[in-house]
Amino acid sequence: MTSEEKVQHDHLQPLQKNLWNSYLASGRGAYELFESIDLDKNGTVSAEEVVFFLDSVNREGVRSDEFARLEELVSAHQELNTGDFLRWLAAATSNEPQEEKIQKDAYEKHSQTGKRRSSTIIMEEKVEQEYAWNENTMSQSLRRMQYAVRGEVVMKAESLRAEGREIVFTNVGNPHAVGQKPLSYYRQVLALCDLPAECGVDHPEVSRMFPADVIARAKEYRAAIGPAGTGSYSHSQGIKAFREHVADFIIERDGYPAFAGDIFLTNGASSGIQNVLMSLMSANTDAVMIPIPQYPIYSALITLLGGRQVGYELDESLGWAVTKEELERSLAEAKEQGLKVKALAIINPGNPTGQVLDKETLQAICHFCAENGIVLLADEVYQRNVYVKDKKFISAKKIACETEGCENLEL
């Protein structure tokens, strides 16, 4: 880089810093970032120029393995066009190692993907075509997103199974896929709710086909759903009677009031997590503290929705608990990077660690969030999956209601 280019770079540095922060958070601004590095406007940047820029932003958010790869390109005096730069940038700022072409090829060859039109074209007839919607013009936050439970390892495992290898899948909680029979009660109630009344609950032979408790519950639910049936849209928060049932469960569990109007029913826990994170992320520096190790839906959605991930380490020697000192260290580090931590997620019982947080640990977490104005996201979907005799699940709500100093905790 010439002295004139260095002066120009210094002039552009504040702009580049803003573009970098925007890209790290939202995946947006990559083209503008490329143009700010391409000082001679020839449509390419040298690997050396990219290293010079990254050093100016302290290599924040860049994977060390990808930076080492970039340095190899410097030694080879490599030039990068826009596509090369965006491809490297996506890999360098993802949470996990990313071999885009390998992953893409593996997905297209996967036995369950199915035939694609491109596979029917004879190789000699294939013409390299630039589509308007492509890897470079798509959402770069989606391109960077990693959701490991459905990623490269799983595809490899399924390929090995197709070859006749015996594989035990532990990537997701999917008991039916590994042989567990469905609970008939739920299926029967759902069937009677979905069937037209004359074919189900009002059929003269219904009592011969379904148990009495199933019929009674299905009638209760059909009355709550109303005459339009299960195929119609409900209230935005879900059917009121069902939310009242949830509130009753929480009251019985914790011993404190719960209200149907505060409850939202979602299409599984993942949708609920996405709704909450989507409403929280409003600026490039917004961040969420998540446990390490964690279930990867959090890191994936934070990346997709334009937030920043701040990890706090679970201590294996303490049974995968977390200390207040570790939470404070993680928060201080985030603040040093100019990030605003808006929420903290706990998974209790843990996934994938399986720990059950005790009262003292939960009190420390609740106090930490209350003191720092951080929203506590309590993922407690496994609350009934406790298999150690001396462990007992306690909800974050119960702890917050009983702990002095947590009166204003946002949970």
mmCIF file of all heavy atoms in Angstrom, residues 6-40:
data_model
loop_
_atom_site.group_PDB
_atom_site.id
_atom_site.type_symbol
_atom_site.label_atom_id
_atom_site.label_comp_id
_atom_site.label_asym_id
_atom_site.label_seq_id
_atom_site.Cartn_x
_atom_site.Cartn_y
_atom_site.Cartn_z
ATOM 1 N N LYS A 6 -2.447 4.991 2.101
ATOM 2 C CA LYS A 6 -2.566 4.956 3.553
ATOM 3 C C LYS A 6 -3.273 6.193 4.084
ATOM 4 O O LYS A 6 -4.089 6.121 4.997
ATOM 5 C CB LYS A 6 -1.186 4.812 4.198
ATOM 6 C CG LYS A 6 -0.595 3.423 4.048
ATOM 7 C CD LYS A 6 0.754 3.308 4.755
ATOM 8 C CE LYS A 6 1.306 1.892 4.629
ATOM 9 N NZ LYS A 6 2.626 1.748 5.285
ATOM 10 N N VAL A 7 -2.968 7.356 3.482
ATOM 11 C CA VAL A 7 -3.649 8.600 3.874
ATOM 12 C C VAL A 7 -5.133 8.487 3.555
ATOM 13 O O VAL A 7 -6.002 8.858 4.358
ATOM 14 C CB VAL A 7 -3.030 9.807 3.146
ATOM 15 C CG1 VAL A 7 -3.877 11.064 3.364
ATOM 16 C CG2 VAL A 7 -1.613 10.061 3.631
ATOM 17 N N GLN A 8 -5.429 7.949 2.377
ATOM 18 C CA GLN A 8 -6.828 7.767 1.977
ATOM 19 C C GLN A 8 -7.525 6.791 2.916
ATOM 20 O O GLN A 8 -8.684 6.988 3.297
ATOM 21 C CB GLN A 8 -6.885 7.250 0.535
ATOM 22 C CG GLN A 8 -8.273 7.296 -0.096
ATOM 23 C CD GLN A 8 -8.239 6.894 -1.556
ATOM 24 O OE1 GLN A 8 -7.181 6.621 -2.122
ATOM 25 N NE2 GLN A 8 -9.411 6.834 -2.178
ATOM 26 N N HIS A 9 -6.815 5.738 3.299
ATOM 27 C CA HIS A 9 -7.375 4.754 4.223
ATOM 28 C C HIS A 9 -7.684 5.386 5.573
ATOM 29 O O HIS A 9 -8.735 5.149 6.169
ATOM 30 C CB HIS A 9 -6.409 3.579 4.402
ATOM 31 C CG HIS A 9 -6.837 2.620 5.469
ATOM 32 N ND1 HIS A 9 -6.435 2.738 6.788
ATOM 33 C CD2 HIS A 9 -7.675 1.537 5.425
ATOM 34 C CE1 HIS A 9 -6.982 1.766 7.495
ATOM 35 N NE2 HIS A 9 -7.724 1.028 6.706
ATOM 36 N N ASP A 10 -6.756 6.200 6.088
ATOM 37 C CA ASP A 10 -6.975 6.860 7.377
ATOM 38 C C ASP A 10 -8.214 7.750 7.334
ATOM 39 O O ASP A 10 -8.957 7.842 8.323
ATOM 40 C CB ASP A 10 -5.750 7.701 7.762
ATOM 41 C CG ASP A 10 -4.542 6.841 8.104
ATOM 42 O OD1 ASP A 10 -4.741 5.642 8.382
ATOM 43 O OD2 ASP A 10 -3.407 7.356 8.081
ATOM 44 N N HIS A 11 -8.430 8.384 6.187
ATOM 45 C CA HIS A 11 -9.605 9.237 6.025
ATOM 46 C C HIS A 11 -10.894 8.404 6.038
ATOM 47 O O HIS A 11 -11.936 8.848 6.555
ATOM 48 C CB HIS A 11 -9.488 10.010 4.705
ATOM 49 C CG HIS A 11 -10.685 10.884 4.416
ATOM 50 N ND1 HIS A 11 -10.976 12.020 5.130
ATOM 51 C CD2 HIS A 11 -11.688 10.753 3.487
ATOM 52 C CE1 HIS A 11 -12.086 12.567 4.677
ATOM 53 N NE2 HIS A 11 -12.541 11.814 3.674
ATOM 54 N N LEU A 12 -10.800 7.171 5.491
ATOM 55 C CA LEU A 12 -11.983 6.314 5.394
ATOM 56 C C LEU A 12 -12.211 5.477 6.655
ATOM 57 O O LEU A 12 -13.255 4.836 6.788
ATOM 58 C CB LEU A 12 -11.840 5.352 4.199
ATOM 59 C CG LEU A 12 -11.972 5.949 2.804
ATOM 60 C CD1 LEU A 12 -11.566 4.927 1.749
ATOM 61 C CD2 LEU A 12 -13.407 6.411 2.559
ATOM 62 N N GLN A 13 -11.262 5.481 7.573
ATOM 63 C CA GLN A 13 -11.319 4.550 8.700
ATOM 64 C C GLN A 13 -12.605 4.645 9.521
ATOM 65 O O GLN A 13 -13.190 3.606 9.850
ATOM 66 C CB GLN A 13 -10.099 4.726 9.602
ATOM 67 C CG GLN A 13 -9.942 3.587 10.604
ATOM 68 C CD GLN A 13 -8.613 3.638 11.322
ATOM 69 O OE1 GLN A 13 -7.824 4.552 11.150
ATOM 70 N NE2 GLN A 13 -8.360 2.646 12.161
ATOM 71 N N PRO A 14 -13.100 5.851 9.885
ATOM 72 C CA PRO A 14 -14.359 5.906 10.638
ATOM 73 C C PRO A 14 -15.520 5.263 9.885
ATOM 74 O O PRO A 14 -16.336 4.545 10.476
ATOM 75 C CB PRO A 14 -14.589 7.409 10.840
ATOM 76 C CG PRO A 14 -13.227 8.018 10.740
ATOM 77 C CD PRO A 14 -12.512 7.202 9.714
ATOM 78 N N LEU A 15 -15.590 5.503 8.558
ATOM 79 C CA LEU A 15 -16.638 4.893 7.744
ATOM 80 C C LEU A 15 -16.490 3.376 7.750
ATOM 81 O O LEU A 15 -17.468 2.643 7.910
ATOM 82 C CB LEU A 15 -16.566 5.422 6.306
ATOM 83 C CG LEU A 15 -17.461 4.708 5.274
ATOM 84 C CD1 LEU A 15 -18.928 4.890 5.612
ATOM 85 C CD2 LEU A 15 -17.159 5.199 3.861
ATOM 86 N N GLN A 16 -15.251 2.904 7.572
ATOM 87 C CA GLN A 16 -15.018 1.465 7.538
ATOM 88 C C GLN A 16 -15.370 0.813 8.865
ATOM 89 O O GLN A 16 -15.900 -0.298 8.889
ATOM 90 C CB GLN A 16 -13.558 1.186 7.180
ATOM 91 C CG GLN A 16 -13.216 1.490 5.733
ATOM 92 C CD GLN A 16 -11.769 1.181 5.423
ATOM 93 O OE1 GLN A 16 -10.894 1.303 6.288
ATOM 94 N NE2 GLN A 16 -11.481 0.795 4.188
ATOM 95 N N LYS A 17 -15.068 1.487 9.966
ATOM 96 C CA LYS A 17 -15.399 0.939 11.281
ATOM 97 C C LYS A 17 -16.906 0.774 11.426
ATOM 98 O O LYS A 17 -17.388 -0.252 11.921
ATOM 99 C CB LYS A 17 -14.866 1.871 12.375
ATOM 100 C CG LYS A 17 -15.196 1.426 13.806
ATOM 101 C CD LYS A 17 -14.525 0.131 14.182
ATOM 102 C CE LYS A 17 -14.774 -0.216 15.638
ATOM 103 N NZ LYS A 17 -14.217 -1.536 16.014
ATOM 104 N N ASN A 18 -17.666 1.773 10.970
ATOM 105 C CA ASN A 18 -19.135 1.685 11.027
ATOM 106 C C ASN A 18 -19.658 0.556 10.131
ATOM 107 O O ASN A 18 -20.567 -0.186 10.514
ATOM 108 C CB ASN A 18 -19.766 3.013 10.612
ATOM 109 C CG ASN A 18 -19.590 4.086 11.667
ATOM 110 O OD1 ASN A 18 -19.436 3.786 12.847
ATOM 111 N ND2 ASN A 18 -19.618 5.344 11.242
ATOM 112 N N LEU A 19 -19.065 0.430 8.941
ATOM 113 C CA LEU A 19 -19.477 -0.635 8.027
ATOM 114 C C LEU A 19 -19.158 -2.010 8.613
ATOM 115 O O LEU A 19 -19.945 -2.951 8.485
ATOM 116 C CB LEU A 19 -18.773 -0.472 6.670
ATOM 117 C CG LEU A 19 -19.231 0.697 5.798
ATOM 118 C CD1 LEU A 19 -18.301 0.872 4.599
ATOM 119 C CD2 LEU A 19 -20.669 0.487 5.320
ATOM 120 N N TRP A 20 -18.009 -2.110 9.273
ATOM 121 C CA TRP A 20 -17.607 -3.379 9.879
ATOM 122 C C TRP A 20 -18.561 -3.764 11.014
ATOM 123 O O TRP A 20 -18.991 -4.912 11.094
ATOM 124 C CB TRP A 20 -16.174 -3.278 10.387
ATOM 125 C CG TRP A 20 -15.631 -4.555 10.942
ATOM 126 C CD1 TRP A 20 -15.248 -4.807 12.222
ATOM 127 C CD2 TRP A 20 -15.395 -5.769 10.220
ATOM 128 N NE1 TRP A 20 -14.790 -6.094 12.353
ATOM 129 C CE2 TRP A 20 -14.878 -6.718 11.140
ATOM 130 C CE3 TRP A 20 -15.587 -6.156 8.890
ATOM 131 C CZ2 TRP A 20 -14.546 -8.017 10.759
ATOM 132 C CZ3 TRP A 20 -15.256 -7.455 8.520
ATOM 133 C CH2 TRP A 20 -14.737 -8.361 9.443
ATOM 134 N N ASN A 21 -18.882 -2.805 11.866
ATOM 135 C CA ASN A 21 -19.829 -3.079 12.953
ATOM 136 C C ASN A 21 -21.184 -3.511 12.410
ATOM 137 O O ASN A 21 -21.833 -4.412 12.944
ATOM 138 C CB ASN A 21 -19.989 -1.848 13.839
ATOM 139 C CG ASN A 21 -18.791 -1.613 14.736
ATOM 140 O OD1 ASN A 21 -18.040 -2.548 15.042
ATOM 141 N ND2 ASN A 21 -18.576 -0.382 15.155
ATOM 142 N N SER A 22 -21.601 -2.841 11.335
ATOM 143 C CA SER A 22 -22.883 -3.183 10.724
ATOM 144 C C SER A 22 -22.843 -4.599 10.159
ATOM 145 O O SER A 22 -23.780 -5.379 10.335
ATOM 146 C CB SER A 22 -23.221 -2.184 9.614
ATOM 147 O OG SER A 22 -24.406 -2.556 8.939
ATOM 148 N N TYR A 23 -21.734 -4.945 9.496
ATOM 149 C CA TYR A 23 -21.639 -6.279 8.907
ATOM 150 C C TYR A 23 -21.609 -7.362 9.983
ATOM 151 O O TYR A 23 -22.280 -8.392 9.864
ATOM 152 C CB TYR A 23 -20.404 -6.395 8.020
ATOM 153 C CG TYR A 23 -20.297 -7.775 7.403
ATOM 154 C CD1 TYR A 23 -21.040 -8.110 6.284
ATOM 155 C CD2 TYR A 23 -19.499 -8.763 7.987
ATOM 156 C CE1 TYR A 23 -20.987 -9.393 5.743
ATOM 157 C CE2 TYR A 23 -19.445 -10.046 7.460
ATOM 158 C CZ TYR A 23 -20.189 -10.355 6.331
ATOM 159 O OH TYR A 23 -20.148 -11.622 5.824
ATOM 160 N N LEU A 24 -20.831 -7.148 11.033
ATOM 161 C CA LEU A 24 -20.744 -8.144 12.101
ATOM 162 C C LEU A 24 -22.114 -8.417 12.715
ATOM 163 O O LEU A 24 -22.434 -9.550 13.072
ATOM 164 C CB LEU A 24 -19.773 -7.688 13.196
ATOM 165 C CG LEU A 24 -18.285 -7.747 12.866
ATOM 166 C CD1 LEU A 24 -17.471 -7.243 14.052
ATOM 167 C CD2 LEU A 24 -17.854 -9.159 12.498
ATOM 168 N N ALA A 25 -22.917 -7.363 12.839
ATOM 169 C CA ALA A 25 -24.232 -7.510 13.464
ATOM 170 C C ALA A 25 -25.265 -8.067 12.505
ATOM 171 O O ALA A 25 -26.001 -9.004 12.829
ATOM 172 C CB ALA A 25 -24.700 -6.165 14.013
ATOM 173 N N SER A 26 -25.339 -7.493 11.315
ATOM 174 C CA SER A 26 -26.477 -7.776 10.441
ATOM 175 C C SER A 26 -26.131 -8.470 9.138
ATOM 176 O O SER A 26 -27.023 -8.903 8.410
ATOM 177 C CB SER A 26 -27.192 -6.462 10.101
ATOM 178 O OG SER A 26 -26.341 -5.629 9.319
ATOM 179 N N GLY A 27 -24.832 -8.580 8.814
ATOM 180 C CA GLY A 27 -24.452 -9.136 7.523
ATOM 181 C C GLY A 27 -24.637 -8.159 6.385
ATOM 182 O O GLY A 27 -24.416 -8.495 5.221
ATOM 183 N N ARG A 28 -25.011 -6.924 6.715
ATOM 184 C CA ARG A 28 -25.243 -5.916 5.682
ATOM 185 C C ARG A 28 -24.042 -4.988 5.553
ATOM 186 O O ARG A 28 -23.292 -4.806 6.489
ATOM 187 C CB ARG A 28 -26.483 -5.097 6.006
ATOM 188 C CG ARG A 28 -27.747 -5.935 5.956
ATOM 189 C CD ARG A 28 -28.955 -5.173 6.409
ATOM 190 N NE ARG A 28 -30.145 -6.021 6.380
ATOM 191 C CZ ARG A 28 -31.277 -5.736 6.971
ATOM 192 N NH1 ARG A 28 -31.387 -4.618 7.664
ATOM 193 N NH2 ARG A 28 -32.301 -6.555 6.898
ATOM 194 N N GLY A 29 -23.897 -4.419 4.345
ATOM 195 C CA GLY A 29 -22.815 -3.463 4.120
ATOM 196 C C GLY A 29 -21.557 -4.084 3.558
ATOM 197 O O GLY A 29 -20.523 -3.412 3.480
ATOM 198 N N ALA A 30 -21.599 -5.355 3.153
ATOM 199 C CA ALA A 30 -20.395 -6.028 2.657
ATOM 200 C C ALA A 30 -19.901 -5.411 1.350
ATOM 201 O O ALA A 30 -18.688 -5.243 1.153
ATOM 202 C CB ALA A 30 -20.673 -7.519 2.462
ATOM 203 N N TYR A 31 -20.824 -5.077 0.451
ATOM 204 C CA TYR A 31 -20.420 -4.452 -0.813
ATOM 205 C C TYR A 31 -19.760 -3.097 -0.549
ATOM 206 O O TYR A 31 -18.719 -2.763 -1.127
ATOM 207 C CB TYR A 31 -21.638 -4.259 -1.725
ATOM 208 C CG TYR A 31 -21.989 -5.472 -2.536
ATOM 209 C CD1 TYR A 31 -23.044 -6.294 -2.159
ATOM 210 C CD2 TYR A 31 -21.281 -5.812 -3.684
ATOM 211 C CE1 TYR A 31 -23.385 -7.425 -2.897
ATOM 212 C CE2 TYR A 31 -21.611 -6.930 -4.437
ATOM 213 C CZ TYR A 31 -22.654 -7.732 -4.034
ATOM 214 O OH TYR A 31 -22.982 -8.847 -4.772
ATOM 215 N N GLU A 32 -20.383 -2.302 0.326
ATOM 216 C CA GLU A 32 -19.831 -0.988 0.647
ATOM 217 C C GLU A 32 -18.465 -1.120 1.315
ATOM 218 O O GLU A 32 -17.557 -0.319 1.075
ATOM 219 C CB GLU A 32 -20.786 -0.224 1.560
ATOM 220 C CG GLU A 32 -22.102 0.184 0.915
ATOM 221 C CD GLU A 32 -23.132 -0.939 0.885
ATOM 222 O OE1 GLU A 32 -22.797 -2.074 1.280
ATOM 223 O OE2 GLU A 32 -24.276 -0.670 0.454
ATOM 224 N N LEU A 33 -18.315 -2.169 2.130
ATOM 225 C CA LEU A 33 -17.026 -2.421 2.778
ATOM 226 C C LEU A 33 -15.962 -2.756 1.737
ATOM 227 O O LEU A 33 -14.833 -2.241 1.800
ATOM 228 C CB LEU A 33 -17.179 -3.578 3.773
ATOM 229 C CG LEU A 33 -16.016 -3.867 4.715
ATOM 230 C CD1 LEU A 33 -15.692 -2.652 5.572
ATOM 231 C CD2 LEU A 33 -16.357 -5.063 5.598
ATOM 232 N N PHE A 34 -16.315 -3.597 0.780
ATOM 233 C CA PHE A 34 -15.388 -3.937 -0.305
ATOM 234 C C PHE A 34 -14.958 -2.684 -1.059
ATOM 235 O O PHE A 34 -13.763 -2.485 -1.340
ATOM 236 C CB PHE A 34 -16.043 -4.933 -1.255
ATOM 237 C CG PHE A 34 -15.191 -5.305 -2.437
ATOM 238 C CD1 PHE A 34 -14.262 -6.324 -2.345
ATOM 239 C CD2 PHE A 34 -15.322 -4.620 -3.640
ATOM 240 C CE1 PHE A 34 -13.463 -6.663 -3.437
ATOM 241 C CE2 PHE A 34 -14.536 -4.948 -4.733
ATOM 242 C CZ PHE A 34 -13.600 -5.976 -4.637
ATOM 243 N N GLU A 35 -15.930 -1.840 -1.377
ATOM 244 C CA GLU A 35 -15.616 -0.616 -2.128
ATOM 245 C C GLU A 35 -14.720 0.328 -1.342
ATOM 246 O O GLU A 35 -13.877 1.022 -1.915
ATOM 247 C CB GLU A 35 -16.918 0.089 -2.520
ATOM 248 C CG GLU A 35 -17.723 -0.676 -3.572
ATOM 249 C CD GLU A 35 -19.079 -0.043 -3.849
ATOM 250 O OE1 GLU A 35 -19.427 0.928 -3.125
ATOM 251 O OE2 GLU A 35 -19.787 -0.516 -4.757
ATOM 252 N N SER A 36 -14.878 0.345 -0.014
ATOM 253 C CA SER A 36 -14.034 1.231 0.794
ATOM 254 C C SER A 36 -12.601 0.721 0.869
ATOM 255 O O SER A 36 -11.659 1.508 1.091
ATOM 256 C CB SER A 36 -14.616 1.361 2.207
ATOM 257 O OG SER A 36 -14.389 0.191 2.979
ATOM 258 N N ILE A 37 -12.399 -0.582 0.695
ATOM 259 C CA ILE A 37 -11.049 -1.159 0.698
ATOM 260 C C ILE A 37 -10.429 -1.065 -0.689
ATOM 261 O O ILE A 37 -9.205 -0.895 -0.824
ATOM 262 C CB ILE A 37 -11.099 -2.634 1.170
ATOM 263 C CG1 ILE A 37 -11.664 -2.718 2.585
ATOM 264 C CG2 ILE A 37 -9.705 -3.274 1.140
ATOM 265 C CD1 ILE A 37 -11.928 -4.138 3.063
ATOM 266 N N ASP A 38 -11.264 -1.126 -1.717
ATOM 267 C CA ASP A 38 -10.800 -1.051 -3.111
ATOM 268 C C ASP A 38 -10.503 0.410 -3.472
ATOM 269 O O ASP A 38 -11.278 1.083 -4.164
ATOM 270 C CB ASP A 38 -11.878 -1.643 -4.029
ATOM 271 C CG ASP A 38 -11.484 -1.607 -5.495
ATOM 272 O OD1 ASP A 38 -10.276 -1.489 -5.780
ATOM 273 O OD2 ASP A 38 -12.393 -1.704 -6.344
ATOM 274 N N LEU A 39 -9.351 0.898 -3.026
ATOM 275 C CA LEU A 39 -9.048 2.325 -3.163
ATOM 276 C C LEU A 39 -8.825 2.749 -4.610
ATOM 277 O O LEU A 39 -9.123 3.880 -4.980
ATOM 278 C CB LEU A 39 -7.812 2.670 -2.319
ATOM 279 C CG LEU A 39 -7.979 2.440 -0.804
ATOM 280 C CD1 LEU A 39 -6.676 2.767 -0.081
ATOM 281 C CD2 LEU A 39 -9.120 3.272 -0.250
ATOM 282 N N ASP A 40 -8.281 1.842 -5.446
ATOM 283 C CA ASP A 40 -8.043 2.231 -6.835
ATOM 284 C C ASP A 40 -9.228 1.921 -7.750
ATOM 285 O O ASP A 40 -9.163 2.143 -8.955
ATOM 286 C CB ASP A 40 -6.774 1.564 -7.378
ATOM 287 C CG ASP A 40 -6.824 0.046 -7.260
ATOM 288 O OD1 ASP A 40 -7.898 -0.481 -6.895
ATOM 289 O OD2 ASP A 40 -5.793 -0.606 -7.522
#
